[in-house]
Structure formats: C-alpha cells, structure tokens
Amino acid sequence: MLIVAGFAMSFLGLVVFKHVGPKLGLVDRPNLRSHHSKATVLGGGFVVALVFVILLLIAADTGQLMLSDIGGLASTMLILALMGLADDRFDLPILPRLMAYCLACGFLISIQSVHYPWPLLLVWLIFGVWTINVINFMDGLDGFATTQVLVVCVGLGLFAFWLADDGVLPSTTVLCVLLVVSLLPFWLVNWPPASIFMGDSGAVFLGFTLCVIGITGFNDHSLLGFAWLILMAPFLTDAGVTLLIRLWQGRPPHIAHNDHLYQRLARRTGCARRINSGLLMLHGLWQIPLLMGLLYRPSWAFFMVFLSVIPTLFLLVRERRWR
C-alpha cells in the first residue's frame, strides 16, 4: 500500500509542479553546454525529495525502518532539496552550498557511524560530499542520472536482501525501495526527450540519499559498502578522472563544463537514449555480474571494485583520443 501511495504522490506532484514551476521562474533555457533544444521545467527533483521524506517518516513510524534520528535525516534532506531549488532559481554561490554539503554529511556520519575510527569518518565525510557533487556533475543529460540512481537502488536493495539471513527486511533494502518508488515517476518524464529536469534540488538530494544508503548498507553488512562502490563506479570514475584531468590542465574545478565522458559521447552520437541504454548495458554486462561475483567470492571484494572501474576508464581514454 505504501508503495502504491508513494508512486501516486510522486506522479501527481510532478503533474502539479510542471504547471507551477514556470510561474516560479524554474525554467532551464538552452545554452552552449545544453543537450536540450527547448525551454524545460526545472526543479522537479524537489517533488521526489518531498515524497521520499514522507515515505521515510511513514516507514519509520510503522516500524518498517530502523535508523537513528529519522527526523533529523528527513529535515536534512528537505533543507538540501530546498537549497537546491533556490540554486535552480537564483544560482547560489558555491561556498555556502559546499559548506551545507559538509554539514549534512557530518551530521549523517555523527548519527550513523560514531563507533568507527576518526580517520575512516574523515574519509567518509570527504567521500560523502564528493558523492553529492558527482550526481550534480553527471546530471547533464536527459534521464542519465535518474537511470543510474535507479539501477544502484535496485541492485543494492536486492543484494542486501540476499545477504539478510534473519528474515527481517534490511534497512538498506527499505531505503532503496522507497527511493525507487519516489523516483520512478520522475524517471518516466525525464527519459529523453525529457519534459522536466530534476535540477540541483533533485541532484543534491539524490547524492545525499545515496550517501545515507551507502553508510546504512555498510553498517548492515560490510559487503554492501563494496557493492555500493561497484554500482557507483561508472559515475565515480567519469566524474573523478575528468576532474583530475581538468585540474592537471589548470582549469578551475568549480566552473561548469561539458567535458565528461557521457557529454562527449552525447555530442558524438547525438542521441541521449543511446547513452542511457549504454549505461544500462554496462550495468547488465559488467557491474551486476561483478556484484554477483562479490556475493559468491566476498574475499575478492577489493579486486571486484578495481574491476568495476575498467570499462568506464577505457571508454574515457578512448573517447579523448577519438576527439
């Protein structure tokens, strides 16, 4: 019942937002870096965030989800989504946004991982802020980021369910299901050609929520942390290597650009659907089999993570040589 209600809320919320968004000035008009050709409603990700938070609170209240300080997490998610919505409308400076990401990730770690050594907590803080930015960086093509998030949630949710041996639905699986339910209606209207964009309100929320899912998974079972890395590898590799290359070339990291692998492939093919289909194929032929290998060979976890980056790294190098 909760799943059906969540899907309906998300769908109806997007219908309303498509009419309200333009009146609030939330419209993305094409520019030189754009892959779309007409003005499109921006900020639809806020609807996804709002629905997810409602489902999160209901699941916690009914005992389906056991997490520390659910109210604090829900508030943090809404604050980040609202900040993203303000950035969509007014283009906020980078420093306040970065500070907000650090505070949000610091809060998450303080309630979820207090028993771990501080060097690991520091790594998680940096990695959490980076994950938020990665989703933001990679949200530049119709349906691309939403497709990735859905695949991560489906794969990780099933993996957590297979690992569970006590008959209780793991918190990781519950979180993944709630995010899929909230995001699926948006994915349908964001698939190319998109009729609505998630904007920073959606990208920042999704990045933070993926952090929540990743840390919750690691707390549930250490293998879920490796599974999260394997499924996230295409985005982490593209964003990370591209950033390093741009730093090496002396280009400022905070300036928007269209230098990522997926953007180069989109320009060359001229078809966003092909890029999204390619991402799904990459997961089906490489990331998911590695996930299954991790299930049966847990001692190979680090090696599996290493293998997970190879296809994206190969394509990135090949595409730059092609150009």
Side-chain angles (χ1 to χ4, degrees):
M1 189 64 182
L2 186 60
I3 292 176
V4 175
F7 186 92
M9 282 192 295
S10 185
F11 178 81
L12 293 175
L14 289 169
V15 171
V16 172
F17 191 86
K18 285 183 69 174
H19 291 88
V20 174
K23 297 178 181 179
L24 299 175
L26 292 166
V27 178
D28 189 351
R29 292 178 172 79
N31 55 48
L32 293 177
R33 297 184 298 103
S34 301
H35 292 282
H36 61 289
S37 57
K38 63 179 182 179
T40 305
V41 179
L42 179 68
F46 182 75
V47 174
V48 178
L50 185 59
V51 171
F52 178 82
V53 165
I54 293 173
L55 296 182
L56 187 72
L57 294 174
I58 294 175
D61 188 58
T62 56
Q64 301 174 60
L65 181 64
M66 301 298 293
L67 287 180
S68 301
D69 200 351
I70 287 285
L73 275 179
S75 300
T76 302
M77 290 172 179
L78 277 181
I79 290 171
L80 288 176
L82 284 169
M83 175 176 283
L85 198 64
D87 189 34
D88 290 331
R89 179 63 180 86
F90 301 108
D91 195 18
L92 302 179
I94 186 172
L95 188 57
R97 289 186 286 135
L98 191 60
M99 290 178 62
Y101 303 162
C102 290
L103 289 173
C105 291
F107 169 71
L108 170 62
I109 291 169
S110 71
I111 64 173
Q112 290 287 86
S113 311
V114 293
H115 57 285
Y116 293 112
W118 72 263
L120 181 58
L121 299 183
L122 180 59
V123 170
W124 279 2
L125 175 63
I126 296 172
F127 206 74
V129 174
W130 173 238
T131 301
I132 294 174
N133 282 286
V134 162
I135 300 300
N136 211 353
F137 294 160
M138 302 295 284
D139 179 35
L141 190 66
D142 292 1
F144 192 61
T146 48
T147 298
Q148 168 69 7
V149 174
L150 284 175
V151 172
V152 170
C153 287
V154 171
L156 198 64
L158 288 174
F159 192 81
F161 180 74
W162 286 329
L163 285 177
D165 56 3
D166 55 4
V168 178
L169 202 62
S171 296
T172 306
T173 300
V174 175
L175 287 171
C176 288
V177 170
L178 296 183
L179 189 54
V180 168
V181 169
S182 305
L183 186 59
L184 190 57
F186 179 81
W187 178 75
L188 296 175
V189 296
N190 189 234
W191 185 262
S195 61
I196 186 169
F197 294 155
M198 74 165 72
D200 280 5
S201 57
V204 172
F205 158 75
L206 288 176
F208 179 73
T209 305
L210 284 175
C211 294
V212 174
I213 292 173
I215 291 180
T216 301
F218 188 85
N219 289 335
D220 283 347
H221 196 294
S222 59
L223 278 184
L224 286 172
F226 291 101
W228 186 92
L229 288 172
I230 289 172
L231 291 170
M232 284 293 294
F235 269 35
L236 295 176
T237 305
D238 188 357
V241 174
T242 300
L243 177 64
L244 290 175
I245 291 174
R246 290 181 63 82
L247 288 173
W248 178 265
Q249 294 172 341
R251 301 180 184 181
H254 62 284
I255 301 298
H257 61 85
N258 57 357
D259 209 24
H260 289 289
L261 169 63
Y262 78 93
Q263 293 169 320
R264 288 169 171 261
L265 289 172
R267 287 197 301 273
R268 184 157 64 83
T269 62
C271 182
R273 291 185 182 182
R274 287 186 183 181
I275 310 306
N276 291 338
S277 299
L279 178 63
L280 289 172
M281 187 179 297
L282 172 62
H283 276 287
L285 297 179
W286 193 260
Q287 314 301 135
I288 298 300
L290 286 177
L291 206 64
M292 299 304 297
L294 181 65
L295 187 64
Y296 293 102
R297 291 289 186 273
S299 60
W300 293 10
F302 285 100
F303 182 59
M304 297 293 187
V305 172
F306 169 75
L307 289 178
S308 69
V309 309
I310 290 178
T312 307
L313 190 59
F314 171 79
L315 288 172
L316 197 151
V317 173
R318 180 180 179 275
E319 185 63 23
R320 286 180 172 271
R321 286 186 174 180
W322 182 287
R323 297 291 292 181

